[in-house]
Amino acid sequence: MNPPILSSLAWSLVRTWGGRLAGFAIYFQLVRVLAPEDMGLFSAAFAVFVFLEIFADLGMVQAVVQRPQVTPAQLNAVLLLNMLAAVLLTAVLWSAAPLVETLVGIPRLGAVLQVGCLTLLFSSAGFAQEAMARRRFEFRRLAMRTLFSTIVGGAVGVWLAATGHGVWALVVQLLVSSALNAGALWLRPAWSLRVRPDFRGVGQLACFGTHVTGMRLVEYAGTRGVELLIAMLLGPHALGIYAVGTKIHYIFMQLLGLALSDVAQSGYARLAADLDRLRAAYLSSVSAAALAATPAWAVLSAAAPEIALIAFGPRWTACAQVLGPVALLGALQVLQKFDTAVLNALGRPGLTLMLSAARSLGALLAVWLAHDRGLAAVAMAFVASQLLVAPVNLWLLHRHLKAAWRGWIGCTWLPLFGGCLAWIAMSLARDADAVAHATALVRLLMLASIGGATYLVALAALGRRQLYGLWFDWRALRRPSP
């Protein structure tokens, strides 16, 4: 591999994982200090900020990165459009914040929106600079910027939270991080601002950006849109419990899903012309991921009370009613990362967008229908809505990958069945005296050991043929094609 590309890849990983791990560590510290109402209030405000940032960006960052050539004059046009959109959106949100507070029904939301909306200006100022840095493979610079802004902003937020400033600790943390991000990008500009903006080439960028914006809106509806709906229907306390309860699930998905999807996308694209090899690679990847990831999700679900207590403290034990069912869904969501990669490799991104839209719509309907039964019912309904889309997923794979659903069932039934057995064993063991009277950490270790042992016994008893087949498939895939 080319040394500059290898170095860029390494720094890209530092930027991605370093920033996320630092952010996760800071988040855990903040949650242990702040109350659920504060976390819920900020989550509702942040959902509004994310929604407006989609329109402030206009998909231009990705468009600039993808475009073969871009001139300084076009970059100035993009910067001007981003800033104009951000100023307009900031002004609208500032004026409409009291109305939004009334509609959502959360006290103090208006004030948080009016102060926090300044992040739109900071973020928009750095969009084009970040795009150029990515075009030039300046991932070391981006990595250091992300780590620095995350750590400094997080330190300020933790200090304010510890000194009793409540939700404003999160608002100030967001403002500081956003300002440092933008400032670090403009310390060494990628082009001159003296060049007159050229709007002639912006149309093509905007056309590409429209598709990016559509995809982001669909993803938003199934994530931040769900949180905003929970805030409106159940209030900030319930949203705080839900947001924190799904955080560990999100971390697991980031650690597992992001790495898997990136590798799978690159590997499947090379095999797109050979359907037989693509099918074999897909089934082998799904089988390996199911075998490796399923027991982790089973432990995360069955030991949700212990994990919530250890990670967030006693005031957050109610998070287990959200984390438990959502973690079980994670075992399927990791496998669906490969489905998306296959459909994209086959040139069917529209199908992945359709599936994402179906999941987002199902999630919103589930929250709406189950909200009057409490947060636990909402979590269960959310999981059910996502499971209902799974058969459509398999049908599309069967149609485009030919008989993939039979192979999918053949290579996933055992890990999923073993994971269910492990979950049942851990749930039954929880009532045993030795487990029930242990500390939370010891209880977690005991349950994880019981679940892991049950899973391994199930594989040894029923899955030796599948394990041997996976080994031979892996060796075959590693052989160079003739």
Side-chain angles (χ1 to χ4, degrees), residues 49 52-53 56 82-97 113-124:
F49 300 149
L52 295 181
E53 190 173 290
N82 286 149
M83 291 304 300
L84 287 175
V87 170
L88 177 61
L89 292 170
T90 300
V92 170
L93 181 58
W94 182 281
S95 303
L113 290 175
Q114 288 179 326
V115 177
C117 68
L118 296 176
T119 58
L120 292 174
L121 301 177
F122 297 138
S123 300
S124 298

Side-chain angles (χ1 to χ4, degrees), residues 428-454:
L428 294 176
R430 179 182 297 281
D431 296 330
D433 291 339
V435 177
H437 293 90
T439 63
L441 179 58
V442 173
R443 209 160 50 240
L444 173 61
L445 294 175
M446 294 174 69
L447 292 175
S449 300
I450 293 170
T454 303

Side-chain angles (χ1 to χ4, degrees), residues 112-153:
V112 173
L113 290 175
Q114 288 179 326
V115 177
C117 68
L118 296 176
T119 58
L120 292 174
L121 301 177
F122 297 138
S123 300
S124 298
F127 283 155
Q129 288 288 349
E130 180 179 352
M132 286 303 296
R134 288 165 60 183
R135 279 177 63 93
R136 296 180 175 185
F137 291 93
E138 296 178 352
F139 289 100
R140 179 180 182 275
R141 178 186 172 196
L142 293 177
M144 299 305 296
R145 178 207 66 157
T146 300
L147 287 173
F148 176 74
S149 62
T150 300
I151 292 173
V152 174

Side-chain angles (χ1 to χ4, degrees), residues 343-358:
L343 292 174
N344 288 337
L346 292 172
R348 303 287 182 175
L351 294 179
T352 61
L353 180 59
M354 181 193 71
L355 289 170
S356 297

Side-chain angles (χ1 to χ4, degrees), residues 18 21 42 72 110 120 205 234 269 311 358 376 395 454 468:
L21 292 175
F42 179 77
L120 292 174
L205 294 173
L234 297 176
W395 178 78
T454 303
Y468 290 145

Side-chain angles (χ1 to χ4, degrees), residues 162-239:
T163 53
H165 289 81
V167 69
W168 295 107
L170 298 169
V171 176
V172 173
Q173 177 197 6
L174 181 63
L175 289 171
V176 171
S177 297
S178 300
L180 290 176
N181 264 315
L185 287 169
W186 281 99
L187 284 176
R188 195 172 63 192
W191 75 92
S192 174
L193 293 179
R194 298 178 181 179
V195 180
R196 184 175 180 180
D198 178 13
F199 293 92
R200 289 175 296 179
V202 174
Q204 295 179 349
L205 294 173
C207 182
F208 182 90
T210 300
H211 297 287
V212 175
T213 301
M215 294 180 64
R216 289 179 177 172
L217 287 173
V218 169
E219 294 175 355
Y220 174 90
T223 53
R224 300 298 178 184
V226 168
E227 293 183 356
L228 198 56
L229 185 59
I230 291 175
M232 296 174 63
L233 298 174
L234 297 176
H237 183 276
L239 175 57

Side-chain angles (χ1 to χ4, degrees), residues 141-401:
R141 178 186 172 196
L142 293 177
M144 299 305 296
R145 178 207 66 157
T146 300
L147 287 173
F148 176 74
S149 62
T150 300
I151 292 173
V152 174
V156 173
V158 171
W159 176 73
L160 289 174
T163 53
H165 289 81
V167 69
W168 295 107
L170 298 169
V171 176
V172 173
Q173 177 197 6
L174 181 63
L175 289 171
V176 171
S177 297
S178 300
L180 290 176
N181 264 315
L185 287 169
W186 281 99
L187 284 176
R188 195 172 63 192
W191 75 92
S192 174
L193 293 179
R194 298 178 181 179
V195 180
R196 184 175 180 180
D198 178 13
F199 293 92
R200 289 175 296 179
V202 174
Q204 295 179 349
L205 294 173
C207 182
F208 182 90
T210 300
H211 297 287
V212 175
T213 301
M215 294 180 64
R216 289 179 177 172
L217 287 173
V218 169
E219 294 175 355
Y220 174 90
T223 53
R224 300 298 178 184
V226 168
E227 293 183 356
L228 198 56
L229 185 59
I230 291 175
M232 296 174 63
L233 298 174
L234 297 176
H237 183 276
L239 175 57
I241 296 296
Y242 178 86
V244 174
T246 55
K247 189 66 175 183
I248 295 181
H249 168 266
Y250 171 79
I251 293 173
F252 267 62
M253 287 300 301
Q254 289 291 301
L255 295 177
L256 296 173
L258 183 62
L260 292 174
S261 61
D262 287 347
V263 174
Q265 187 70 59
S266 301
Y268 294 165
R270 298 180 181 181
L271 303 175
D274 189 340
L275 200 60
D276 291 334
R277 293 195 70 208
L278 177 60
R279 186 189 309 112
Y282 165 75
L283 294 176
S284 179
S285 302
V286 168
S287 180
L291 286 169
T294 300
W297 290 112
V299 171
L300 186 63
S301 175
E306 288 73 25
I307 293 174
L309 179 61
I310 294 171
F312 303 125
R315 75 171 73 184
W316 294 97
T317 53
C319 293
Q321 63 183 331
V322 175
L323 178 59
V326 172
L328 286 179
L329 178 64
L332 178 62
Q333 289 177 323
V334 167
L335 303 183
Q336 288 176 339
K337 294 287 184 181
F338 296 101
D339 303 349
T340 300
V342 165
L343 292 174
N344 288 337
L346 292 172
R348 303 287 182 175
L351 294 179
T352 61
L353 180 59
M354 181 193 71
L355 289 170
S356 297
R359 295 189 188 101
S360 298
L361 179 60
L364 292 172
L365 287 175
V367 173
W368 177 265
L369 294 174
H371 74 274
D372 56 348
R373 299 184 180 180
L375 193 58
V378 167
M380 295 296 294
F382 171 80
V383 171
S385 71
Q386 304 307 291
L387 293 177
L388 288 176
V389 184
V392 180
N393 220 75
L394 289 179
W395 178 78
L396 289 174
L397 282 172
H398 172 71
R399 180 178 178 183
H400 296 283
L401 204 55

